[in-house]
Amino acid sequence: MSNYLQRIGAASFAVALGMGSAVAQNTPQATGRLSNDVLRIGVLTDISGVYADISGKGAIEAVKMAVEDFGGTMFGKPIDVVSADHQNKADIGAAKAREWYDVGGVDMINDLANSGVALAVAGIAKEKKRHAIVNNASNVGITNAQCSPYTVHYAYDAYSLANGTGRAVVENGGDSWFFLTVDFAFGHGLEQQVSEVVKKANGKVLGAARHPLGTSDFASYMLQAQSSKAKIVGLASTGQDTINAIKAAHEFGLTKNQKLAALLLWINDVHSLGLPVAQGLQLTNAWYWDMNEESRKFARRFQERVGYMPNMAHAGDYSSTLHYLKAVQAAGSDDADAVSAKMRSMPIKDMFTQNGTIRADGRMVHDMYLWEVKKPSESKHPWDYLKLVKTIPAAQAFMPLEQSTCPLVKKSS
């Protein structure tokens, strides 16, 4: 057991040890074989760019926590965690994934912040027959055009965000939209999904302005949004881009006559903005650190390691890594096809979700939640930022399987 677990005391040690013991006791296959005498997990993430705060070192530590809680070994052999910065460039991410799969002995790659990177790595995972788990990208192509038995889309996607925040805003009268969209696969996919929700509700999309990743000056984009006269300005971005856009909207007075819809807002973003600016914003997330006692225990352990509370992707990194390890143990080997079958047959019930299942297309379906940012007067302690508006059941949260274009999905005649 790691020095970290020793340091946090007997109570936390018992929790972590209990989780690892439960895996060993409840998994049918307790012995097995690894192909190269080590099980290696790669965390491919944004360590230095605009998504570093919502991914980065937090993603790496969440995966390490899952390995520690599992017990640190598989069939008596070590479980190794390696990490790399993809720099938000699909070619760099793809090259690292290929290197890891070909010569690095990596069995599974996790996190994959940035949809362009995630789509590229999913294609390589399919080619190499190695596992990839996406927790920090939204493009639905991961479980459509790029689907395979080896890729799982875990925490959220553009469809679930559109049918959470987007639908709630439309239902509350927000029937005309203008989008400020980050100009790559993530932003395009999110804009498309929300546009479909708006149009199905007889609303109108009045236009969109595309901005580069890592934009700091939103002045010209705010002027375009204001001149559109749309009731809702949808922010099809995330991380620092969304933070900068929200700050600019307040500075330019846009929020006096129009409302913002932040389509992928993180607890980290709320922390950066502060409640006086972020109050009232609605967001769809799969998980919140203060949901229940189990989530709070994980969050406090995480905070001790990295200095801030985890978001839904960090929780997904942890949960999906633990699920993968359980599947390897149940399969009795790291054979990719055997592990894939186990991952799809085993239910997911942990601090991330109580009703998770992985479909044939690789989409992990679970309940999603619509939250609202609290007023400063409503917050009682640090990181007490969100209040629950409604639960979106798993069956409604994600794209119906019959709409999937994944060739692994059998269509009824």
Side-chain angles (χ1 to χ4, degrees):
M1 201 59 69
S2 72
N3 291 335
Y4 167 73
L5 291 178
Q6 294 172 10
R7 190 169 65 250
I8 63 175
S12 294
F13 179 85
V15 171
L17 182 61
M19 292 175 73
S21 300
V23 171
Q25 293 171 4
N26 296 334
T27 306
Q29 178 69 49
T31 59
R33 179 180 298 177
L34 299 177
S35 56
N36 57 356
D37 286 337
V38 62
L39 190 66
R40 185 163 290 125
I41 298 171
V43 186
L44 191 54
T45 186
D46 178 5
I47 296 174
S48 58
V50 295
Y51 301 150
D53 288 344
I54 60 175
S55 183
K57 68 176 183 179
I60 297 166
E61 290 304 313
V63 170
K64 288 181 177 179
M65 287 174 67
V67 171
E68 291 168 7
D69 287 352
F70 186 80
T73 63
M74 181 69 70
F75 313 134
K77 303 295 183 179
I79 302 170
D80 190 21
V81 177
V82 297
S83 59
D85 186 354
H86 55 54
Q87 301 174 46
N88 286 302
K89 296 179 180 178
D91 58 343
I92 292 176
K96 177 55 68 174
R98 193 175 294 277
E99 174 194 327
W100 274 353
Y101 288 147
D102 284 346
V103 298
V106 169
D107 299 280
M108 183 268 279
I109 297 176
N110 208 335
D111 193 63
L112 295 169
N114 185 299
S115 287
V117 173
L119 287 163
V121 173
I124 295 169
K126 183 191 303 186
E127 173 192 342
K128 299 295 182 180
K129 297 185 178 180
R130 297 289 184 89
H131 285 278
I133 302 178
V134 179
N135 274 297
N136 216 330
S138 72
N139 195 283
V140 295
I142 293 162
T143 51
N144 284 297
Q146 285 289 23
C147 79
S148 79
Y150 313 106
T151 297
V152 174
H153 203 171
Y154 204 85
Y156 69 96
D157 62 19
Y159 186 98
S160 63
L161 299 176
N163 282 274
T165 308
R167 186 175 298 280
V169 171
V170 173
E171 289 175 350
N172 286 331
D175 56 2
S176 63
W177 286 62
F178 183 89
F179 290 94
L180 297 181
T181 302
V182 62
D183 194 9
F184 75 104
F186 156 67
H188 301 169
L190 190 51
E191 179 189 320
Q192 177 185 351
Q193 292 294 322
V194 177
S195 294
E196 291 178 4
V197 168
V198 173
K199 291 173 183 176
K200 285 181 181 178
N202 296 318
K204 296 180 180 180
V205 175
L206 302 181
R210 303 280 172 83
H211 62 83
L213 181 67
T215 295
S216 58
D217 184 0
F218 275 85
S220 63
Y221 305 112
M222 289 300 144
L223 293 175
Q224 291 180 64
Q226 286 176 320
S227 64
S228 75
K229 306 298 183 182
K231 293 180 182 177
I232 306 298
V233 177
L235 305 180
S237 59
T238 192
Q240 194 61 47
D241 283 328
T242 297
I243 291 171
N244 289 341
I246 292 172
K247 288 180 177 178
H250 282 265
E251 291 170 4
F252 276 79
L254 182 145
T255 52
K256 294 179 180 178
N257 300 307
Q258 295 165 285
K259 292 184 178 180
L260 296 177
L263 301 173
L264 180 51
L265 195 69
W266 303 82
I267 187 75
N268 316 71
D269 301 335
V270 175
H271 185 73
S272 295
L273 289 164
L275 292 183
V277 173
Q279 62 180 311
L281 286 171
Q282 292 189 330
L283 57 142
T284 302
N285 269 207
W287 184 89
Y288 174 48
W289 75 269
D290 203 14
M291 290 176 69
N292 52 54
E293 189 55 34
E294 196 173 5
S295 64
R296 286 188 285 272
K297 287 179 180 177
F298 167 78
R300 288 171 185 138
R301 292 174 55 212
F302 180 96
Q303 186 182 33
E304 287 196 28
R305 296 174 79 122
V306 301
Y308 51 81
M309 283 298 180
N311 59 41
M312 66 169 166
H314 298 141
D317 290 326
Y318 174 92
S319 173
S320 60
T321 298
L322 201 56
H323 185 68
Y324 170 79
L325 294 175
K326 291 178 182 180
V328 172
Q329 190 174 50
S333 79
D334 56 357
D335 175 78
D337 290 304
V339 174
S340 289
K342 288 295 183 182
M343 289 182 74
R344 284 157 173 75
S345 67
M346 297 166 58
I348 302 165
K349 185 176 182 180
D350 58 16
M351 66 88 198
F352 181 79
T353 181
Q354 292 295 301
N355 63 341
T357 57
I358 299 174
R359 303 188 312 199
D361 62 350
R363 177 64 259 172
M364 199 277 270
V365 295
H366 51 82
D367 292 346
M368 294 287 288
Y369 305 92
L370 181 66
W371 307 90
E372 185 174 298
V373 179
K374 291 182 175 181
K375 299 175 183 177
S377 60
E378 295 175 314
S379 179
K380 305 303 180 186
H381 49 79
W383 293 92
D384 177 24
Y385 295 152
L386 306 182
K387 55 185 177 183
L388 183 64
V389 176
K390 69 174 180 179
T391 299
I392 307 167
Q396 299 175 18
F398 295 95
M399 181 181 292
L401 199 55
E402 57 267 23
Q403 293 182 22
S404 174
T405 60
C406 173
L408 301 174
V409 177
K410 295 181 180 179
K411 303 287 186 174
S412 57
S413 55

